Amino acid sequence: MRRRVYGGADGKHMCTRDGKVHLSSNGAEYPRRPSIDALFASAAEAYRERVIGVLLLHAREDGAHGLRAIRRAGGRTVTHRNREMLEELRHPETGEPLADEHLELEESARRIVSLVNGRAA
């Protein structure tokens, strides 16, 4: 799964397990399918600090729980920031910052490439 980009299927969760990507209808915890939270949580569990979670469009709570799982596992997280946003996005339940970095789109692309190439600073 190194340096690949995967897309989900409508009506299915995409999760990682045993080094493979799986599609599933299971998971009452995440009733909306596909769920970015289900993908992020499974990636955090499987790959811990090697995961980079990127959320470009934030709508309500979508992605908040998954990004939190990645951060708790030691992975890196990046969210998109519009120029009009005055402050960084926060987790709807805990109030903690939603991501390690809250960047405008142009910065996000450069930062993601940097993280993938192993340049964390």
Side-chain angles (χ1 to χ4, degrees), residues 73-89:
R76 301 292 304 212
T77 55
V78 177
T79 57
H80 172 246
R81 173 189 180 119
N82 289 326
R83 287 184 174 91
E84 295 82 33
M85 296 171 111
L86 299 177
E87 56 187 53
E88 67 183 12
L89 296 172

Side-chain angles (χ1 to χ4, degrees), residues 5 50 60 66:
V5 176
R50 296 182 302 165
R60 297 190 184 123

Side-chain angles (χ1 to χ4, degrees), residues 27-39:
E29 182 178 354
Y30 306 109
R32 193 176 314 164
R33 290 175 181 80
S35 169
I36 193 67
D37 285 313
L39 173 62

Side-chain angles (χ1 to χ4, degrees), residues 47-111:
Y47 299 104
R48 316 284 311 154
E49 69 280 350
R50 296 182 302 165
V51 176
I52 303 168
V54 180
L55 190 61
L56 295 180
L57 298 174
H58 181 72
R60 297 190 184 123
E61 296 182 16
D62 292 345
H65 298 290
L67 287 176
R68 187 172 189 219
I70 290 172
R71 291 180 81 195
R72 285 185 161 188
R76 301 292 304 212
T77 55
V78 177
T79 57
H80 172 246
R81 173 189 180 119
N82 289 326
R83 287 184 174 91
E84 295 82 33
M85 296 171 111
L86 299 177
E87 56 187 53
E88 67 183 12
L89 296 172
R90 299 209 168 262
H91 192 281
E93 295 169 10
T94 67
E96 67 188 58
L98 192 58
D100 298 310
E101 300 179 68
H102 190 63
L103 306 171
E104 291 186 17
L105 192 57
E106 297 79 20
E107 294 174 86
S108 295
R110 285 188 293 275
R111 185 65 181 130

Side-chain angles (χ1 to χ4, degrees), residues 9-27:
D10 191 31
K12 301 276 187 185
H13 289 312
M14 184 168 62
C15 299
T16 61
R17 188 176 62 247
D18 302 324
K20 297 178 182 168
V21 175
H22 300 269
L23 296 177
S24 171
S25 296
N26 297 334

